[in-house]
Amino acid sequence: MKKKIVAMLLIACMSISAAACGKSEEPKEKVKTEAQKETKEKKEYQKIGVESAEAFDVLVKNSVGADITGITVKTTAQTEYPANMMKSGEVWKNGDMVELFYTPDTSAAPAAETDKAINVGYSVQLTLADGRVIELTSFGFEDIKKEAELCFEDEVGFVKYVSKASGDEMSTKEQEINVKAQKEAQAAAEAEAAQAAAEAQAAAEAQAAAE
């Protein structure tokens, strides 16, 4: 009888141990998965700009088809682009994602004449490794959910991103094409006006010489 009781106790202990082992394995796997997830979320990217509490913080992918050696941003209130945000010798490889920090220069903003908020726009100028310069006239820092992609097609640079406001996928390509067309039309009109002024000046000088 005693042997039977001992055997039953041994079987019970073995069952409890097996159950305990089974339970201990699951949390380990869960912890491992959570750790991997956390590591992935905390992936380090090349940083451009100065990190601060006031700065926009956006992940930006270079998909323009060439390495980038310079990037600078200005607001609509600024007439010229400030200094290059990238360090000397620094390269932003084509296909790579960087973490871009940008703090707007509010000193150039005009004083508000009304109580209405002034909508600030941002333009981005890129300098490529081959010397080309690309301008994006509309970079909506406030509306970019987290990530943006810089692209270059049909001779224009543009940005693609998911809108924080609407959740829709956005692209500024059509807008940049329109801006390019407007600039070309303006340049053509200015050249035509300059040509007409030169011809008028030449005609006036010829008439004065004839007299």
Side-chain angles (χ1 to χ4, degrees):
M1 183 68 179
K2 289 182 180 180
K3 291 182 178 180
K4 187 175 181 181
I5 293 172
V6 171
M8 291 176 66
L9 288 173
L10 287 173
I11 292 172
C13 290
M14 290 175 64
S15 299
I16 293 170
S17 299
C21 290
K23 289 181 180 179
S24 63
E25 288 299 322
E26 185 175 353
K28 286 181 180 179
E29 291 298 324
K30 186 175 181 181
V31 170
K32 185 177 179 181
T33 303
E34 292 296 328
Q36 290 175 342
K37 183 178 179 182
E38 185 177 355
T39 302
K40 186 177 180 180
E41 289 177 349
K42 291 184 178 180
K43 181 179 179 180
E44 289 292 326
Y45 295 98
Q46 176 183 350
K47 289 180 171 59
I48 296 177
V50 179
E51 184 176 359
S52 70
E54 296 77 23
F56 290 112
D57 180 2
V58 184
L59 294 177
V60 187
K61 183 179 181 180
N62 173 11
S63 295
V64 300
D67 294 347
I68 296 173
T69 56
I71 179 171
T72 177
V73 185
K74 74 178 182 70
T75 66
T76 49
Q78 295 173 286
T79 56
E80 296 182 359
Y81 282 100
N84 184 7
M85 297 169 66
M86 296 178 67
K87 299 175 183 177
S88 177
E90 190 175 15
V91 177
W92 178 2
K93 294 288 186 180
N94 182 54
D96 283 0
M97 182 90 76
V98 303
E99 188 170 10
L100 178 66
F101 297 97
Y102 169 67
T103 304
D105 182 6
T106 56
S107 63
E113 296 180 357
T114 67
D115 293 334
K116 295 181 180 179
I118 298 176
N119 292 324
V120 178
Y122 304 94
S123 296
V124 174
Q125 186 181 77
L126 305 173
T127 301
L128 308 186
D130 57 13
R132 287 181 296 156
V133 175
I134 299 174
E135 184 179 30
L136 291 76
T137 63
S138 180
F139 196 96
F141 278 103
E142 293 96 340
D143 192 40
I144 295 173
K145 191 169 185 179
K146 184 57 181 177
E147 298 181 6
E149 183 177 9
L150 303 179
C151 306
F152 186 78
E153 296 174 3
D154 300 324
E155 299 303 313
V156 295
F158 59 98
V159 59
K160 295 193 295 186
Y161 64 95
V162 174
S163 170
K164 188 186 297 183
S166 65
D168 296 332
E169 293 185 0
M170 309 293 290
S171 172
T172 62
K173 182 178 180 180
E174 290 301 320
Q175 182 176 342
E176 296 294 352
I177 289 176
N178 292 335
V179 170
K180 181 175 181 287
Q182 290 173 5
K183 287 182 177 180
E184 290 175 347
Q186 183 179 353
E190 290 175 353
E192 186 177 347
Q195 180 65 26
E199 291 175 356
Q201 179 67 23
E205 290 175 357
Q207 184 176 359
E211 295 177 352

